[in-house]
Amino acid sequence: MYRRILGGLATAAAMAATVLVVTGSPANAAGTGTGYLHTSGNKIVDSTGATVRLTGINWFGMETDNKTFHGLWANNPWKSQLDLMANLGYNTIRVPFSDDALKPGAQATSVNTYSNPDLIGLSPLQILDKVVDYAGQKGMRIILDRHRPTSAGQTALWYTSGVPESTWISDWKSLAQHYAGNTTVIGADLHNEPHADGTNPNATGSCWGCGDESRDWRLAAERAGNAILSVQPNWLIFVEGVSCPSGGLSNVWDNDPSNDEDCGWWGGNLTKAGQYPVRLNVANRLVYSPHEYATSVYHQAWFDDPSYPANMPAIWDKYWGYLYKQNIAPIMVGEFGTTLASNTDKIWLQELMKYMGSGVNGMSFTYWSWNPNSGDTGGILKDDWATVDQAKQSIISPYLIPPTGGNPTPPVSPSASPSVSPSASPSASPSASPSVSPSASPSASPSASPSSPGGKTCTATYKVANQYPGGFQGEVTVKAGSSAISGWTVKWAFPNGQSISQLWNGTLSASGSNITVTNLAYNGALGAGASTTFGFNGSWSGTNGVPSPVSCTAS
């Protein structure tokens, strides 16, 4: 989905000069095996040959402008979140990142210094090191996912003019060297959701097996995978699919059915992998990793089939399941998720879990996502970053193989509200995107309006942080005036019928197009000139104009 984001690494030499290699505690639990992992037919096995099944979760944010995990702004400390993950049964974390997060001088933002004082002043990579180390203590595994070349957004190809293939590969090699010897980090998901662009026959997006080195994702995956294995031969190489094997969009976009083909989700089409397999120089390291989504992301035609859901196993077989069923390679479904807003989606999730199988011999997976702020799927957590969405968890739970070997503490309630405003708020787009082309750049003109009862003032600045077909993420920054304030209320009226589906770091009240947001207990008190931010996911159609005025009343 185009919601994914991640930053790039500096060269190995630069990283070695600034960051210590983390050795961590090796994962040695029954749930995730012992030592490094490799493959055998369609199985993932550990260093003893025992079959391992990765049943994990995506925790995104390092691919966004924040350059670190989302939810570090919450009152629930990061270690408590990892404890909860493990206690729920997730044995693996897929970590999206962008090359921006790996650059020298990269800074992590929106970290709540009250709940996470141990992260103060750390770089994005240093925070990742701490998560890796603690996850390893709990017997969990980490998969690194190069989600985006920059935090600006998804790309159809694995490179851009600003982030060439050479940077992509060198950053991967640097990461592999950085985590050498740490068996918690088990592999590289090379690039998130390569997909089609342009229309046939003038395709410009990622193809599979077309032979054009500038577009053939299969060949690029070989180049990157072999480069990584040259410095870290123990890693697994996770390779996603494309959307359309030709790399070009179908008649949905050009109204020409003569050159159409079978297209699927971004990253989810591995129909040509049997004919054109990824060839790695180290045997038994390849895992195919498709993505699969429900109607809350995009309403594919197969959801309207009269035989639904009986038609779905054949669709999954065709796109990627055949690789597992024919014992060609393991499958690790790297992303799948839904808001569960419709019964169609609930049935989809139930049937997909059954299709992937139960017990240690089932297909591996990492659910999208831990984060509640994924606009088109939501998360396993609710907006407080502590409460579990039991409707989702109850469907997934029977298929989870918990990590063992660590000593996870019981999940805790969010810590008491701090007396000062935490320096934390979501500042980037949800890490999720449909398999449709992104829309034009969102409107970002800020609108601010002060209000000053009793001598206390504040301003509110509204912007569209990210926009995609039918949905967008908004962000409002509240700033105190020349005097400290103890609370704030922000109001606006949407000009084009937009609506909010989810809001964090505030309390929402909506009446038609009229929106009112008030502070929570922890972010109402602001010192003179201090600011806080709340964000939201919304829907739009036709026009997504910025409201004006946006008023702020202080108390």
Side-chain angles (χ1 to χ4, degrees):
M1 313 193 71
Y2 61 39
R3 61 177 186 264
R4 320 286 182 257
I5 356 174
L6 279 209
L9 283 180
T11 63
M15 290 182 64
T18 59
V19 184
L20 294 177
V21 172
V22 177
T23 57
S25 301
N28 56 6
T32 51
T34 299
Y36 280 114
L37 307 182
H38 59 282
T39 69
S40 177
N42 64 2
K43 306 297 183 188
I44 297 175
V45 297
D46 72 0
S47 59
T48 72
T51 300
V52 168
R53 187 183 187 191
L54 308 176
T55 61
I57 193 85
N58 285 269
W59 190 7
F60 70 79
M62 197 177 170
E63 81 282 18
T64 72
D65 288 342
N66 299 101
K67 298 182 178 63
T68 192
F69 299 92
H70 281 184
L72 299 184
W73 56 68
N75 286 337
N76 196 14
W78 71 272
K79 283 188 175 180
S80 296
Q81 294 197 47
L82 275 173
D83 290 340
L84 180 55
M85 284 183 204
N87 287 345
L88 289 174
Y90 297 100
N91 65 33
T92 301
I93 307 171
R94 180 175 179 260
V95 180
F97 70 90
S98 77
D99 295 86
D100 283 348
L102 303 174
K103 290 179 178 179
Q107 295 183 344
T109 63
S110 296
V111 177
N112 186 329
T113 56
Y114 178 88
S115 55
N116 295 306
D118 54 335
L119 304 183
I120 295 174
L122 298 187
S123 70
L125 190 58
Q126 289 171 327
I127 293 175
L128 176 60
D129 288 345
K130 291 180 74 70
V131 169
V132 167
D133 183 66
Y134 193 60
Q137 294 176 38
K138 308 184 81 62
M140 303 174 79
R141 302 286 195 162
I142 299 287
I143 298 169
L144 301 177
D145 155 47
R146 196 279 199 136
H147 212 72
R148 302 178 175 181
T150 72
S151 61
Q154 277 298 113
T155 56
L157 300 169
W158 55 96
Y159 62 91
T160 67
S161 58
V163 186
E165 179 176 303
S166 58
T167 298
W168 173 54
I169 291 177
S170 66
D171 283 353
W172 265 128
K173 290 174 69 175
S174 297
L175 274 177
Q177 291 167 334
H178 180 69
Y179 289 111
N182 187 335
T183 56
T184 298
V185 184
I186 57 171
D189 188 338
L190 298 176
H191 177 66
N192 188 67
E193 295 180 349
H195 57 270
D197 199 12
T199 54
N200 292 326
N202 300 310
T204 58
S206 290
C207 63
W208 191 291
C210 68
D212 180 348
E213 290 197 357
S214 66
R215 297 195 304 113
D216 194 329
W217 168 236
R218 174 248 195 164
L219 298 179
E222 292 176 350
R223 293 192 294 272
N226 286 325
I228 292 169
L229 292 172
S230 72
V231 299
Q232 172 48 296
N234 294 309
W235 266 14
L236 296 174
I237 303 298
F238 296 86
V239 179
E240 299 181 29
V242 293
S243 58
C244 306
S246 72
L249 299 164
S250 69
N251 68 306
V252 172
W253 309 99
D254 65 3
N255 295 314
D256 178 7
S258 66
N259 53 27
D260 287 354
E261 62 182 322
D262 192 14
C263 299
W265 297 108
W266 285 9
N269 192 327
L270 286 159
T271 54
K272 291 293 185 72
Q275 181 181 1
Y276 300 104
V278 173
R279 300 156 297 184
L280 298 177
N281 294 335
V282 180
N284 302 318
R285 296 296 182 269
L286 173 64
V287 179
Y288 287 112
S289 187
H291 291 184
E292 169 69 23
Y293 280 99
T295 64
S296 61
V297 172
Y298 186 74
H299 196 103
Q300 300 277 19
W302 48 73
F303 293 116
D304 297 322
D305 190 304
S307 67
Y308 180 82
N311 62 317
M312 294 308 299
I315 290 170
W316 294 325
D317 283 349
K318 176 183 66 175
Y319 283 119
W320 43 270
Y322 75 97
L323 295 164
Y324 182 88
K325 292 188 174 182
Q326 295 178 22
N327 204 37
I328 295 171
I331 288 290
M332 199 285 289
V333 181
E335 293 181 18
F336 64 104
T338 168
T339 59
L340 284 189
S342 73
N343 192 51
T344 296
D345 284 17
K346 180 179 180 181
I347 292 171
W348 167 86
L349 183 57
Q350 292 170 332
E351 295 301 313
L352 178 61
M353 298 309 301
K354 287 193 289 186
Y355 177 84
M356 290 190 293
S358 60
V360 73
N361 291 315
M363 300 180 197
S364 293
F365 61 81
T366 49
Y367 184 80
W368 188 272
S369 61
W370 183 245
N371 308 48
N373 61 315
S374 174
D376 42 13
T377 66
I380 290 298
L381 291 188
K382 294 190 175 182
D383 288 347
D384 61 1
W385 289 87
T387 304
V388 175
D389 187 323
Q390 293 296 341
K392 295 177 182 177
Q393 181 64 20
S394 64
I395 296 174
I396 300 168
S397 182
Y399 301 90
L400 298 175
I401 300 177
T404 57
N407 296 296
T409 57
V412 299
S413 300
S415 57
S417 298
S419 59
V420 295
S421 170
S423 60
S425 64
S427 68
S429 65
S431 148
S433 68
S435 61
V436 294
S437 64
S439 62
S441 298
S443 166
S445 301
S447 174
S449 176
S451 183
S452 53
K456 297 182 178 182
T457 64
C458 59
T459 59
T461 304
Y462 177 113
K463 74 173 183 177
V464 176
N466 190 46
Q467 182 170 296
Y468 43 93
F472 73 105
Q473 184 179 26
E475 179 181 293
V476 177
T477 300
V478 178
K479 183 176 182 179
S482 57
S483 300
I485 64 176
S486 58
W488 47 263
T489 299
V490 175
K491 296 183 178 182
W492 72 82
F494 278 124
N496 308 116
Q498 301 100 316
S499 63
I500 293 177
S501 58
Q502 182 184 42
L503 184 139
W504 52 92
N505 290 351
T507 300
L508 171 67
S509 175
S511 177
S513 62
N514 296 310
I515 302 298
T516 301
V517 180
T518 56
N519 61 273
L520 296 176
Y522 65 80
N523 64 353
L526 298 175
S531 62
T532 188
T533 304
F534 65 86
F536 60 88
N537 295 313
S539 61
W540 64 285
S541 178
T543 304
N544 190 21
V546 172
S548 181
V550 178
S551 68
C552 184
T553 303
S555 59

